[in-house]
Amino acid sequence: MDETNLFALPDPLPEVEHFEPLIPDRGILIERIVSVGHATPDGEWYDQERDEWVALLQGEAELEFEAGSMLRMSAGDHVLIPAHAKHRVSRTTSEPPCIWLAVHGTLR
């Protein structure tokens, strides 16, 4: 078994968001995401085919939804984003970098 640590950061820190699958996607994808001051480009929205449950393990971030709501997140916060709920990451901290745990699948 490979031993890994969710809080270990890539060295050097990534210039773009870093997506790392933790297990093979066989209908459910579990991934770790590292964001270092990253945000979704203005005018772009994620429109995902599957539900996404996401937990922020470290840092602070803001999610914006096309429907008009904003969600401020701190370490330990989590949210279930239904499939096709258009959303974007409007802000992430650089210090500390944001570490996310995301689960994609049919979760509702």
Side-chain angles (χ1 to χ4, degrees):
M1 176 184 341
D2 291 332
E3 197 172 316
T4 59
N5 185 304
L6 289 172
F7 294 100
L9 293 169
D11 186 22
L13 289 173
E15 292 184 23
V16 297
E17 271 191 312
H18 176 76
F19 296 83
E20 176 185 357
L22 299 179
I23 61 167
D25 185 351
R26 293 189 175 103
I28 297 285
L29 170 63
I30 300 174
E31 66 182 349
R32 181 179 84 139
I33 305 165
V34 177
S35 307
V36 186
H38 298 111
T40 308
D42 287 338
E44 291 187 22
W45 299 92
Y46 289 108
D47 183 3
Q48 298 170 175
E49 295 292 321
R50 301 188 280 183
D51 299 327
E52 178 183 12
W53 175 84
V54 63
L56 185 59
L57 304 179
Q58 175 179 289
E60 294 182 357
E62 291 179 0
L63 297 179
E64 180 181 348
F65 294 86
E66 187 183 49
S69 63
M70 176 82 71
L71 178 62
R72 289 188 174 98
M73 299 182 72
S74 297
D77 291 342
H78 60 91
V79 63
L80 177 61
I81 304 169
H84 298 293
K86 291 184 180 181
H87 64 285
R88 59 187 302 277
V89 178
S90 55
R91 182 183 72 84
T92 62
T93 55
S94 297
E95 191 54 47
C98 288
I99 299 175
W100 309 79
L101 182 63
V103 178
H104 302 264
T106 302
L107 307 172
R108 301 178 287 142

